[in-house]
Every structure is written in structure tokens, then in C-alpha cells.
Coordinates of all heavy atoms in Angstrom, one line a residue:
M24 N -10.2 21.6 0.1 CA -11.1 20.8 0.8 C -12.2 20.2 -0.4 O -12.5 19.2 -0.4 CB -11.8 21.4 1.9 CG -12.8 20.4 2.6 SD -13.4 20.9 4.2 CE -14.4 22.2 3.9
N25 N -12.7 21.2 -1.1 CA -13.7 20.8 -2.2 C -13.2 19.6 -3.1 O -13.8 18.8 -3.5 CB -14.1 21.9 -2.9 CG -15.0 22.9 -2.1 OD1 -15.6 22.4 -1.1 ND2 -15.0 24.1 -2.3
A26 N -11.8 19.8 -3.5 CA -11.3 18.7 -4.3 C -11.3 17.3 -3.6 O -11.6 16.3 -4.2 CB -9.9 19.1 -4.7
R27 N -11.0 17.4 -2.4 CA -11.0 16.1 -1.6 C -12.4 15.5 -1.6 O -12.6 14.4 -1.7 CB -10.5 16.3 -0.1 CG -9.0 16.6 -0.1 CD -8.6 16.7 1.3 NE -7.2 17.2 1.5 CZ -6.1 16.4 1.4 NH1 -6.3 15.1 1.3 NH2 -4.8 17.0 1.5
L28 N -13.4 16.4 -1.2 CA -14.8 15.9 -1.3 C -15.3 15.4 -2.6 O -16.0 14.4 -2.7 CB -15.7 17.0 -0.7 CG -15.6 17.4 0.8 CD1 -16.5 18.7 1.0 CD2 -16.0 16.3 1.7
A29 N -14.9 16.0 -3.7 CA -15.2 15.6 -5.0 C -14.6 14.2 -5.3 O -15.2 13.3 -6.0 CB -14.8 16.6 -6.1
L30 N -13.3 14.0 -4.8 CA -12.7 12.7 -5.0 C -13.6 11.7 -4.3 O -13.6 10.5 -4.9 CB -11.3 12.8 -4.5 CG -10.5 11.5 -4.6 CD1 -10.4 11.2 -6.1 CD2 -9.1 11.4 -3.9
L31 N -14.0 11.9 -3.2 CA -14.9 10.8 -2.5 C -16.1 10.4 -3.3 O -16.6 9.3 -3.2 CB -15.4 11.4 -1.1 CG -14.3 11.4 0.0 CD1 -14.8 12.1 1.2 CD2 -13.6 10.0 0.3
G32 N -16.6 11.4 -4.0 CA -17.8 11.1 -4.9 C -17.4 10.1 -6.2 O -18.4 9.6 -6.7
T33 N -16.2 9.9 -6.4 CA -15.7 9.0 -7.4 C -15.5 7.6 -7.0 O -15.1 6.9 -7.8 CB -14.6 9.6 -8.2 OG1 -13.4 9.6 -7.3 CG2 -14.8 11.0 -8.6
V34 N -15.7 7.2 -5.7 CA -15.5 6.0 -5.3 C -16.5 5.0 -5.9 O -17.4 5.1 -6.2 CB -15.7 5.8 -3.7 CG1 -15.6 4.6 -3.3 CG2 -14.8 6.8 -3.0
T35 N -15.7 3.9 -6.3 CA -16.3 2.8 -7.1 C -17.6 2.4 -6.4 O -17.5 2.1 -5.1 CB -15.3 1.6 -7.3 OG1 -14.2 2.1 -7.9 CG2 -15.8 0.5 -8.1
P36 N -18.6 2.1 -7.0 CA -19.9 1.7 -6.4 C -19.8 0.4 -5.6 O -20.5 0.3 -4.5 CB -20.9 1.5 -7.5 CG -20.4 2.6 -8.5 CD -18.9 2.4 -8.4
G37 N -18.8 -0.5 -5.9 CA -18.8 -1.8 -5.2 C -17.9 -1.7 -4.0 O -17.5 -2.7 -3.3
A38 N -17.3 -0.5 -3.7 CA -16.4 -0.4 -2.6 C -17.0 -0.7 -1.2 O -18.2 -0.3 -1.0 CB -15.8 1.1 -2.5
T39 N -16.3 -1.2 -0.3 CA -16.9 -1.7 1.0 C -16.9 -0.5 1.9 O -16.3 0.6 1.7 CB -16.1 -2.7 1.7 OG1 -14.7 -2.1 1.9 CG2 -15.9 -3.9 0.9
E40 N -17.9 -0.5 2.9 CA -17.9 0.5 3.9 C -16.5 0.9 4.4 O -16.1 2.1 4.8 CB -18.9 0.4 5.0 CG -20.3 0.4 4.5 CD -21.3 0.2 5.7 OE1 -20.9 -0.3 6.7 OE2 -22.5 0.5 5.5
S41 N -15.8 -0.2 4.7 CA -14.5 -0.1 5.4 C -13.5 0.8 4.5 O -12.9 1.6 4.9 CB -13.9 -1.5 5.6 OG -12.6 -1.3 6.2
E42 N -13.5 0.5 3.1 CA -12.7 1.2 2.3 C -13.1 2.6 2.2 O -12.2 3.6 2.0 CB -12.8 0.5 0.8 CG -12.1 -0.8 0.7 CD -12.6 -1.5 -0.5 OE1 -13.7 -1.4 -1.1 OE2 -11.7 -2.3 -1.0
V43 N -14.4 3.0 2.1 CA -14.8 4.3 2.2 C -14.5 5.2 3.4 O -14.0 6.2 3.4 CB -16.5 4.4 1.8 CG1 -16.9 5.9 2.0 CG2 -16.8 3.8 0.4
F44 N -14.7 4.5 4.5 CA -14.2 5.2 5.8 C -12.8 5.4 5.9 O -12.3 6.5 6.2 CB -14.6 4.2 7.0 CG -16.1 4.2 7.4 CD1 -16.7 3.0 7.8 CD2 -16.8 5.3 7.5 CE1 -17.9 3.0 8.1 CE2 -18.1 5.4 8.0 CZ -18.7 4.1 8.2
R45 N -12.0 4.4 5.4 CA -10.5 4.5 5.4 C -10.1 5.8 4.3 O -9.3 6.7 4.8 CB -9.8 3.3 4.9 CG -8.3 3.4 5.1 CD -7.8 2.1 5.1 NE -6.3 2.1 5.4 CZ -5.7 2.2 6.5 NH1 -6.4 2.3 7.5 NH2 -4.5 2.3 6.6
L46 N -10.7 5.8 3.3 CA -10.5 6.9 2.3 C -10.9 8.3 2.8 O -10.0 9.3 2.8 CB -11.3 6.7 0.9 CG -11.1 7.7 -0.1 CD1 -9.6 7.9 -0.5 CD2 -11.8 7.3 -1.4
A47 N -12.0 8.4 3.4 CA -12.5 9.6 3.9 C -11.7 10.1 5.1 O -11.4 11.2 5.3 CB -14.0 9.4 4.3
L48 N -11.3 9.2 6.0 CA -10.5 9.4 7.2 C -9.1 10.0 6.8 O -8.5 10.9 7.2 CB -10.3 8.2 7.9 CG -9.5 8.6 9.3 CD1 -10.1 9.5 10.2 CD2 -9.4 7.2 10.0
G49 N -8.6 9.3 5.6 CA -7.3 9.6 5.2 C -7.2 11.1 4.6 O -6.3 11.9 4.9
H50 N -8.3 11.5 4.0 CA -8.6 12.8 3.5 C -8.8 13.8 4.6 O -8.2 14.9 4.6 CB -9.7 12.9 2.4 CG -9.4 12.4 1.1 ND1 -8.5 13.0 0.2 CD2 -9.7 11.3 0.5 CE1 -8.3 12.3 -0.8 NE2 -9.0 11.1 -0.7
A51 N -9.6 13.5 5.7 CA -9.8 14.3 6.7 C -8.4 14.6 7.5 O -8.1 15.8 7.9 CB -10.8 13.7 7.6
V52 N -7.6 13.5 7.8 CA -6.4 13.7 8.3 C -5.4 14.6 7.6 O -4.8 15.5 8.1 CB -5.7 12.3 8.6 CG1 -4.3 12.4 8.9 CG2 -6.4 11.5 9.6
G53 N -5.6 14.4 6.2 CA -4.7 15.3 5.3 C -5.1 16.6 5.3 O -4.3 17.7 5.5
E54 N -6.4 17.0 5.3 CA -7.0 18.3 5.4 C -6.7 19.0 6.6 O -6.4 20.2 6.6 CB -8.5 18.2 5.2 CG -9.2 19.6 4.9 CD -8.7 20.2 3.5 OE1 -8.4 19.6 2.5 OE2 -8.7 21.5 3.5
L55 N -6.5 18.4 7.7 CA -6.4 18.9 9.0 C -4.8 18.9 9.4 O -4.5 19.5 10.4 CB -7.0 18.2 10.1 CG -8.7 18.2 10.0 CD1 -9.2 17.3 10.9 CD2 -9.1 19.7 10.2
S56 N -4.1 18.3 8.4 CA -2.6 18.3 8.7 C -2.3 17.5 10.0 O -1.2 17.7 10.7 CB -1.8 19.7 8.8 OG -2.1 20.4 7.6
A57 N -3.2 16.6 10.2 CA -3.0 15.8 11.5 C -2.0 14.5 11.1 O -1.8 14.1 9.9 CB -4.4 15.3 11.9
L58 N -1.6 13.9 12.2 CA -0.7 12.8 12.0 C -1.5 11.5 11.8 O -1.0 10.6 11.3 CB 0.2 12.7 13.3 CG 1.2 13.8 13.4 CD1 1.9 13.6 14.6 CD2 2.1 14.0 12.2
G59 N -2.7 11.5 12.4 CA -3.6 10.2 12.3 C -5.0 10.5 12.9 O -5.2 11.6 13.3
G60 N -5.9 9.5 12.7 CA -7.2 9.7 13.2 C -7.9 8.3 13.3 O -7.4 7.3 12.8
T61 N -9.1 8.3 13.9 CA -9.9 7.1 13.9 C -11.3 7.5 13.6 O -11.7 8.6 13.7 CB -9.9 6.5 15.4 OG1 -10.3 7.5 16.3 CG2 -8.5 6.0 15.8
V62 N -12.1 6.4 13.1 CA -13.6 6.6 12.9 C -14.3 5.6 13.9 O -13.8 4.4 13.8 CB -14.1 6.4 11.6 CG1 -15.5 6.3 11.5 CG2 -13.4 7.5 10.7
H63 N -15.1 6.0 14.7 CA -15.9 5.1 15.5 C -17.4 5.2 15.1 O -17.8 6.3 14.8 CB -15.8 5.4 17.1 CG -14.4 4.9 17.6 ND1 -13.3 5.6 17.4 CD2 -14.1 3.9 18.3 CE1 -12.3 5.0 18.0 NE2 -12.8 4.0 18.6
L64 N -18.2 4.1 15.2 CA -19.6 4.3 15.0 C -20.1 3.9 16.2 O -19.7 3.0 17.0 CB -20.1 3.3 13.9 CG -19.5 3.5 12.5 CD1 -20.1 2.6 11.5 CD2 -20.0 5.0 12.1
R65 N -21.4 4.5 16.5 CA -22.1 4.1 17.7 C -22.7 2.8 17.5 O -23.4 2.5 16.4 CB -23.3 5.1 18.0 CG -22.8 6.4 18.5 CD -24.0 7.3 18.8 NE -23.7 8.6 19.0 CZ -24.1 9.5 19.8 NH1 -25.2 9.1 20.5 NH2 -23.7 10.8 19.9
G66 N -22.6 1.8 18.5 CA -23.2 0.5 18.4 C -24.4 0.3 19.4 O -24.7 1.4 20.2
P67 N -24.8 -0.8 19.6 CA -25.9 -1.1 20.6 C -25.3 -1.0 21.9 O -24.1 -1.1 22.2 CB -26.3 -2.4 20.2 CG -25.3 -3.1 19.5 CD -24.4 -2.0 18.8
M68 N -26.1 -0.8 23.0 CA -25.6 -0.8 24.3 C -24.6 0.3 24.6 O -23.7 0.1 25.5 CB -25.2 -2.1 24.8 CG -26.4 -3.2 24.5 SD -25.9 -4.9 24.7 CE -25.1 -5.0 26.3
S69 N -24.7 1.5 24.1 CA -23.9 2.6 24.6 C -22.3 2.4 24.2 O -21.5 2.6 24.9 CB -24.0 3.0 25.9 OG -25.3 3.4 26.2
A70 N -22.1 1.7 23.1 CA -20.8 1.4 22.8 C -20.2 2.0 21.5 O -21.1 2.2 20.6 CB -20.5 -0.2 22.6
L71 N -19.0 2.5 21.4 CA -18.5 2.9 20.2 C -17.5 1.8 19.5 O -16.7 1.3 20.3 CB -17.6 4.3 20.5 CG -18.3 5.4 21.1 CD1 -17.3 6.4 21.5 CD2 -19.3 6.0 20.1
R72 N -17.7 1.6 18.3 CA -16.9 0.5 17.7 C -15.9 1.2 16.6 O -16.4 2.0 15.8 CB -17.9 -0.4 17.0 CG -17.1 -1.6 16.3 CD -18.3 -2.6 15.7 NE -19.1 -1.9 14.8 CZ -19.0 -1.9 13.5 NH1 -17.8 -2.5 12.9 NH2 -19.8 -1.4 12.7
L73 N -14.7 0.9 16.8 CA -13.6 1.4 15.9 C -13.8 0.8 14.5 O -13.8 -0.5 14.4 CB -12.3 1.0 16.5 CG -11.0 1.5 15.6 CD1 -10.9 3.0 15.5 CD2 -9.7 0.8 16.2
V74 N -14.0 1.6 13.5 CA -14.1 0.9 12.1 C -13.0 1.4 11.2 O -12.8 0.8 10.2 CB -15.6 1.4 11.5 CG1 -16.6 0.9 12.4 CG2 -15.7 2.9 11.5
S75 N -12.3 2.3 11.6 CA -11.0 2.7 10.6 C -10.1 3.4 11.6 O -10.4 4.2 12.5 CB -11.5 3.5 9.5 OG -10.5 3.7 8.7
S76 N -8.7 3.4 11.2 CA -7.7 4.0 11.7 C -6.6 4.4 10.6 O -6.4 3.5 9.9 CB -7.2 3.2 12.9 OG -6.0 3.7 13.4
V77 N -6.2 5.6 10.6 CA -5.1 6.0 9.7 C -4.1 6.8 10.5 O -4.3 7.5 11.2 CB -5.8 6.9 8.6 CG1 -4.7 7.6 7.8 CG2 -6.8 6.2 7.8
G78 N -2.8 6.4 10.0 CA -1.6 7.2 10.6 C -1.3 6.9 11.9 O -0.3 7.7 12.5
L79 N -1.8 6.0 12.7 CA -1.5 5.7 14.0 C -0.9 4.4 14.2 O -1.1 3.4 13.4 CB -2.7 5.7 14.9 CG -3.6 6.9 15.0 CD1 -4.9 6.8 15.7 CD2 -2.8 8.1 15.5
P80 N 0.1 4.1 15.1 CA 0.7 2.8 15.3 C -0.4 1.9 15.7 O -1.3 2.2 16.6 CB 1.6 3.0 16.4 CG 1.7 4.4 16.7 CD 0.7 5.2 16.1
P81 N -0.6 0.6 15.4 CA -1.6 -0.2 15.5 C -2.1 -0.5 17.0 O -3.0 -0.7 17.4 CB -1.2 -1.6 14.9 CG -0.2 -1.1 13.7 CD 0.5 0.0 14.3
A82 N -0.9 -0.4 17.9 CA -1.2 -0.6 19.2 C -1.9 0.6 19.9 O -2.5 0.3 21.0 CB 0.2 -0.8 19.9
L83 N -1.8 1.7 19.3 CA -2.5 2.9 20.0 C -4.0 2.7 20.0 O -4.6 2.8 21.1 CB -2.1 4.2 19.4 CG -2.7 5.5 20.0 CD1 -2.2 5.6 21.4 CD2 -2.4 6.7 19.2
P84 N -4.8 2.5 18.9 CA -6.2 2.5 18.9 C -6.8 1.1 19.2 O -7.9 0.9 19.5 CB -6.5 2.9 17.4 CG -5.4 2.3 16.7 CD -4.2 2.7 17.4
R85 N -5.8 0.1 19.4 CA -6.3 -1.4 19.7 C -7.1 -1.4 20.8 O -8.3 -1.9 20.9 CB -5.0 -2.2 19.9 CG -5.5 -3.6 19.8 CD -4.3 -4.6 19.8 NE -3.6 -4.5 18.5 CZ -2.2 -4.4 18.4 NH1 -1.5 -4.4 19.5 NH2 -1.7 -4.2 17.3
P86 N -6.8 -0.7 22.0 CA -7.7 -0.7 23.3 C -9.1 -0.1 23.1 O -10.0 -0.2 23.8 CB -7.0 0.0 24.3 CG -5.4 -0.1 23.8 CD -5.6 0.0 22.3
W87 N -9.2 0.7 21.9 CA -10.4 1.5 21.6 C -11.3 0.7 20.7 O -12.2 1.2 20.1 CB -10.1 2.8 21.0 CG -9.1 3.6 21.7 CD1 -8.9 3.6 23.1 CD2 -8.4 4.7 21.3 NE1 -7.9 4.5 23.5 CE2 -7.7 5.3 22.4 CE3 -8.3 5.3 20.1 CZ2 -6.9 6.4 22.3 CZ3 -7.4 6.4 19.9 CH2 -6.7 6.9 20.9
A88 N -11.0 -0.6 20.5 CA -11.9 -1.3 19.5 C -13.3 -1.3 19.9 O -14.2 -1.1 19.0 CB -11.5 -2.8 19.5
I89 N -13.6 -1.3 21.2 CA -15.0 -1.1 21.8 C -14.8 -0.1 22.9 O -14.1 -0.4 23.9 CB -15.6 -2.4 22.2 CG1 -15.8 -3.5 21.0 CG2 -17.0 -2.1 22.8 CD1 -16.8 -3.1 20.0
A90 N -15.4 1.0 22.9 CA -15.3 2.0 23.9 C -16.8 2.4 24.4 O -17.6 2.7 23.6 CB -14.6 3.1 23.5
A91 N -16.9 2.5 25.7 CA -18.1 3.0 26.3 C -18.3 4.5 25.9 O -17.4 5.3 26.0 CB -18.2 2.9 27.8
Q92 N -19.6 4.8 25.4 CA -19.8 6.2 25.1 C -19.6 7.2 26.2 O -19.3 8.5 26.0 CB -21.2 6.4 24.5 CG -21.4 5.8 23.3 CD -22.8 6.0 22.7 OE1 -23.4 6.9 22.9 NE2 -23.3 5.0 22.0
E93 N -19.8 6.8 27.5 CA -19.7 7.8 28.7 C -18.3 7.4 29.3 O -18.1 8.0 30.4 CB -20.8 7.5 29.6 CG -22.2 7.8 29.0 CD -22.3 9.3 28.5 OE1 -21.8 10.2 29.0 OE2 -23.0 9.4 27.4
G94 N -17.4 6.7 28.7 CA -16.2 6.4 29.4 C -15.1 7.4 29.4 O -15.3 8.5 28.7
P95 N -13.9 7.2 29.9 CA -12.8 8.1 29.8 C -11.9 8.0 28.6 O -11.1 8.9 28.5 CB -12.0 7.7 31.2 CG -12.4 6.3 31.1 CD -13.7 5.9 30.8
L96 N -12.1 7.1 27.8 CA -11.1 6.8 26.6 C -11.4 8.1 25.6 O -12.5 8.6 25.6 CB -11.4 5.7 26.0 CG -11.2 4.3 26.8 CD1 -11.4 3.1 25.9 CD2 -9.7 4.3 27.3
A97 N -10.3 8.3 24.8 CA -10.3 9.4 24.0 C -11.5 9.4 22.9 O -12.2 10.5 22.8 CB -9.0 9.5 23.1
P98 N -11.9 8.3 22.4 CA -13.1 8.3 21.6 C -14.3 8.9 22.1 O -15.1 9.6 21.6 CB -13.3 7.0 21.0 CG -11.9 6.2 21.1 CD -11.3 7.0 22.3
A99 N -14.6 8.5 23.5 CA -15.8 9.0 24.3 C -15.7 10.3 24.7 O -16.6 11.1 24.4 CB -15.9 8.0 25.3
R100 N -14.5 10.7 24.9 CA -14.4 12.3 25.3 C -14.6 13.0 24.1 O -15.2 14.1 24.1 CB -13.0 12.5 25.9 CG -12.7 11.8 27.2 CD -11.6 12.3 28.0 NE -10.3 12.7 27.3 CZ -9.4 11.8 26.8 NH1 -9.4 10.7 27.2 NH2 -8.4 12.4 26.1
A101 N -14.2 12.7 22.9 CA -14.4 13.3 21.6 C -15.9 13.5 21.3 O -16.4 14.5 21.0 CB -13.6 12.7 20.5
L102 N -16.6 12.4 21.4 CA -17.9 12.4 21.2 C -18.7 13.2 22.2 O -19.5 14.2 21.7 CB -18.5 10.8 21.3 CG -19.9 10.7 21.4 CD1 -20.5 11.0 20.0 CD2 -20.4 9.5 21.9
N103 N -18.3 13.3 23.5 CA -19.1 14.0 24.5 C -18.7 15.6 24.5 O -19.5 16.4 24.9 CB -18.8 13.4 25.9 CG -19.6 12.0 25.9 OD1 -20.7 11.8 25.5 ND2 -18.8 11.0 26.5
T104 N -17.5 15.8 24.1 CA -17.2 17.2 24.0 C -17.3 17.9 22.6 O -17.3 19.1 22.6 CB -15.7 17.5 24.6 OG1 -14.9 16.9 23.7 CG2 -15.5 16.9 25.9
G105 N -17.3 17.1 21.6 CA -17.5 17.7 20.3 C -16.0 18.2 19.9 O -16.0 19.0 18.9
R106 N -15.1 17.7 20.6 CA -13.6 18.3 20.2 C -12.8 17.0 20.1 O -13.1 16.0 20.6 CB -13.2 19.1 21.3 CG -14.0 20.4 21.5 CD -13.5 21.3 22.5 NE -12.3 22.0 22.0 CZ -11.5 22.8 22.7 NH1 -11.8 22.9 24.0 NH2 -10.5 23.3 22.2
A107 N -11.5 17.3 19.5 CA -10.5 16.2 19.4 C -10.1 15.9 20.8 O -10.0 16.7 21.7 CB -9.4 16.8 18.5
A108 N -9.7 14.6 20.8 CA -9.3 14.2 22.3 C -8.1 13.3 22.0 O -7.9 12.6 21.2 CB -10.4 13.4 22.9
R109 N -7.0 13.6 23.0 CA -5.8 12.8 23.0 C -5.9 11.7 24.0 O -6.5 11.8 25.0 CB -4.6 13.8 23.3 CG -4.5 14.8 22.3 CD -3.3 15.5 22.4 NE -3.0 16.5 21.3 CZ -2.3 17.5 21.3 NH1 -1.7 17.8 22.6 NH2 -2.2 18.4 20.5
P110 N -5.2 10.5 23.8 CA -5.2 9.5 24.8 C -4.5 10.0 26.1 O -3.6 10.9 25.9 CB -4.3 8.5 23.9 CG -3.6 9.1 22.9 CD -4.3 10.3 22.6
V111 N -4.9 9.5 27.1 CA -4.4 9.7 28.4 C -3.7 8.5 28.9 O -4.2 7.5 28.9 CB -5.5 10.2 29.4 CG1 -4.9 10.3 30.8 CG2 -6.2 11.3 29.1
P112 N -2.3 8.6 29.2 CA -1.6 7.5 29.5 C -2.2 6.7 30.7 O -2.8 7.4 31.8 CB -0.2 8.0 30.1 CG -0.1 9.3 29.4 CD -1.5 9.9 29.2
G113 N -2.3 5.4 30.6 CA -3.0 4.6 31.7 C -4.5 4.5 31.4 O -5.1 3.6 32.2
Q114 N -5.1 5.1 30.6 CA -6.6 5.0 30.3 C -6.8 4.2 28.9 O -7.3 4.9 28.0 CB -7.3 6.2 30.4 CG -7.3 7.0 31.8 CD -8.2 8.1 31.7 OE1 -8.6 8.7 30.8 NE2 -8.5 8.4 32.9
G115 N -6.4 3.1 28.8 CA -6.6 2.2 27.6 C -5.7 2.6 26.5 O -6.2 2.3 25.2
S116 N -4.6 3.1 26.6 CA -3.7 3.4 25.4 C -2.4 2.9 25.8 O -2.0 2.7 27.1 CB -3.7 5.0 25.3 OG -3.0 5.6 26.4
S117 N -1.6 2.9 24.9 CA -0.1 2.4 25.1 C 0.7 3.7 25.2 O 2.0 3.4 25.1 CB 0.3 1.5 23.9 OG 0.2 2.4 22.8
C118 N 0.2 4.8 25.5 CA 1.1 6.0 25.6 C 1.8 5.9 26.9 O 1.3 5.6 28.0 CB 0.2 7.3 25.5 SG -0.3 7.4 23.9

């Protein structure tokens, strides 16, 4: 894990936030031996905004582009429980 964190410190100063999020997420997914993951940022008016996705079919996180922080979608459940959350069929996912 320390080697992955050290690599993030070598990111080119001109890298965009999007590139840094994608790199960090890729390393987190690898470190956890996960198949994929997403990064959401809190936005105005109690919304979570999808800023990066790695290892997931594009159709899966698409409904999560904007998610209510108190809603039933996986990103909101992860935020509110502090734990990983899987998509629930019929609740904004293509599962």
C-alpha cells in the first residue's frame, strides 16, 4: 500500500483532478482486490456527483451521476453507513 501512495505523490503537477481521481481510484481498487469502484463528491443541495469510475461497465454507474445523499442508491448508502454498498436491482442500476 505504501508503494501505491508514494506513486500518487509523483503525479505530474499539471494533472487534472479527474486524472488524479482516476489514478487514486485505480490504486484503491487494486489494493482491495476489487473489481471496480466509484468516487463521488458532495455537491450543493445534498447531492453526490460521480467524478470517477474504474472497472465497472459504463451502464452501471450512469444512473448514479447525481445521487441524493439521503437516497437509496449505492453511493448514498455507502456514505451514510461508512461501508461498501452494492447496487440493488430496480434502484437506479442496470443490475
